[in-house]
Amino acid sequence: MDDGRVITARELNRSTLARQLLLRREPLDAAEGVRRVVALQAQQPASPYLALWNRLAAFDPAGLDAAFTDHAVVKATLMRLTLHAVHADDHRAFREAMHPVVRAARLGSRFTASGLTAEDADALVPRLLEFADRPRTTAECEAWLGERLGERPGPGAWWGLRQYTPLLHAPTAPPWSFGHRPSYIAPRNGPPGTEPAASAASAASLRELVVRYLEGFGPASVADVAQFAMVRRTDARTALAELAGRLERLTGPAGEELFDLPGSPRPDAATPAPPRLMAMWDSVLLAYADRGRVLPAAYRRIVIRANGDVLPTLLVDGYVAGVWRPVAGGIEATAFHPLPEESWEGLATEARSLVAFLADREPEVYRRYGHWWGHLPDATVRLLPGG
């Protein structure tokens, strides 16, 4: 299909918000919520929970606990070689699509400096998956690897093997299912392909990933697809070309070619967007080559720090307007530009809800990242009471 219709920057913003359930909270359970938004970045244990709190009506964190325990939602190294929470039904295709990237990135010089080769890794993967038939700690896995090799492996061996092997993270500890010391377990429905021959299957899986990406984040360009999956633009372009009969083509605000699935929601630019207190590393900030869709360029280096930390943000009228953190008495909101009083009132309502949500789990969530507040520019700061 070739529509060619021009879509404005604000329409792109509203399309993203609609598909990411940020125009209104939806009455879905945790697993279905994750399916709808496709992928939640999960390197920080609390963030998938806060992401769903922003998106689902009456979200109960115990529902996501149960989904992780039951493997309805799984946490694994996937897109951009980053930990994501995805629906179990998506894991195989996503991991197979990422196979060439993971192989190249994790079986390179750091891995081979341990004395192992990529072929050694291929031989070890099925045996490690058998060993991980129940949760295994890092220490147990390293001991297992030493026994297989007959000696203590170099430091790069387990680093490369644990990410190359399609292991899931097993729930370990409260308050957010996963602690800072991971345990690993094999997928219950069988592992994705990891042997060299799986590279051929990865092309079909990449097409499936692209379709799911457009469902949750479209419309999108070749560069956006490549950024989301961290694949080469040539591979993203090939996948989109092979899907051409199923896709619409649009023209973006800068004249760029965009792709989308017919019938997908593209709300009017005037559609209201309620304020939100977004999680650290929320996917809407990172899923595009052009992050200006939600994150204004002037604020990008403030919000996305040089080491990769992505601060928890204020979303006002669909765009990042500042950052937030818990403090004694409520939520401290820092706005990078003047906000109307109506927006402050909406943020205050969200803050009361968030404080109540965090109370039984981690009232001072993200505290370890507080040092970044010393690097913020001059801005308007308000305490939004929690009571």
Side-chain angles (χ1 to χ4, degrees):
M1 300 182 186
D2 193 352
D3 184 337
R5 180 175 77 81
V6 175
I7 186 168
T8 68
R10 194 170 175 88
E11 287 171 335
L12 277 178
N13 171 270
R14 290 323 196 238
S15 296
T16 293
L17 299 183
R19 298 179 205 195
Q20 285 293 301
L21 312 183
L22 290 168
L23 291 180
R24 61 179 178 273
R25 288 181 167 95
E26 298 289 349
L28 305 172
D29 65 25
E32 187 58 27
V34 172
R35 187 198 298 272
R36 285 281 296 275
V37 300
V38 180
L40 297 172
Q41 292 221 181
Q43 62 266 55
Q44 208 289 334
S47 284
Y49 289 81
L50 269 69
L52 291 184
W53 168 80
N54 272 300
R55 291 163 166 86
L56 304 185
F59 171 60
D60 181 355
L64 186 53
D65 293 340
F68 280 130
T69 299
D70 296 341
H71 288 215
V73 174
V74 299
K75 177 177 175 177
T77 298
L78 292 168
M79 288 71 69
R80 300 187 298 284
L81 300 175
T82 302
L83 288 170
H84 281 79
V86 301
H87 196 281
D89 291 349
D90 284 327
H91 176 254
R92 175 183 287 271
F94 288 3
R95 183 57 178 76
E96 287 179 350
M98 292 301 302
H99 175 72
V101 175
V102 177
R103 185 177 179 83
R106 293 299 182 258
L107 300 186
S109 58
R110 181 175 172 182
F111 178 76
T112 56
S114 70
L116 298 178
T117 66
E119 291 70 28
D120 293 328
D122 290 325
L124 285 165
V125 163
R127 298 159 69 187
L128 177 54
L129 289 169
E130 289 179 5
F131 177 69
D133 60 346
R134 59 184 184 274
R136 300 290 190 175
T137 66
T138 294
E140 289 175 322
C141 291
E142 289 179 330
W144 173 90
L145 183 57
E147 291 173 1
R148 303 285 83 69
L149 300 177
E151 60 182 346
R152 183 178 179 84
W158 174 239
W159 171 84
L161 188 63
R162 70 180 168 83
Q163 295 188 62
Y164 181 60
T165 306
L167 293 166
L168 307 179
H169 282 234
T172 55
W176 306 108
S177 286
F178 302 94
H180 295 291
R181 295 183 177 180
S183 287
Y184 303 94
I185 192 168
R188 287 184 177 176
N189 58 352
T194 56
E195 67 282 352
S199 296
S202 72
S205 294
L206 180 58
R207 291 194 295 273
E208 186 171 341
L209 185 153
V210 168
V211 169
R212 291 288 288 123
Y213 172 65
L214 293 177
E215 288 176 348
F217 295 94
S221 66
V222 168
D224 292 328
V225 172
Q227 166 67 24
F228 178 73
M230 206 176 85
V231 299
R232 297 179 303 174
R233 290 192 182 187
T234 53
D235 294 332
R237 186 175 289 109
T238 297
L240 287 162
E242 291 169 345
L243 291 165
R246 299 173 56 183
L247 303 180
E248 287 183 81
R249 296 187 183 190
L250 307 172
T251 299
E256 71 276 27
E257 185 178 39
L258 301 176
F259 301 85
D260 204 5
L261 297 167
S264 295
R266 296 185 207 128
D268 185 89
T271 303
R276 291 286 184 260
L277 301 173
M278 303 294 283
M280 289 192 76
W281 286 283
D282 197 279
S283 297
V284 296
L285 305 186
L286 301 170
Y288 303 98
D290 178 9
R291 292 170 178 172
R293 184 180 297 214
V294 174
L295 176 59
Y299 304 151
R300 178 169 175 171
R301 290 189 178 182
I302 304 171
V303 170
I304 303 177
R305 307 308 303 186
N307 72 337
D309 286 350
V310 181
L311 304 187
T313 53
L314 312 177
L315 207 64
V316 176
D317 191 30
Y319 294 90
V320 170
V323 295
W324 65 268
R325 61 175 174 172
V327 295
I331 299 296
E332 180 186 277
T334 300
F336 301 148
H337 60 256
L339 301 179
E341 202 58 36
E342 180 182 4
S343 296
W344 282 114
E345 291 170 1
L347 289 169
T349 299
E350 291 295 302
R352 287 191 294 272
S353 176
L354 179 58
V355 169
F357 178 78
L358 295 173
D360 294 333
R361 293 262 172 163
E362 190 179 4
E364 295 184 341
V365 69
Y366 303 144
R367 181 179 180 180
R368 62 180 293 199
Y369 304 98
H371 59 92
W372 291 123
W373 268 251
H375 300 269
L376 298 180
D378 290 339
T380 301
V381 180
R382 288 197 188 185
L383 173 62
L384 306 178

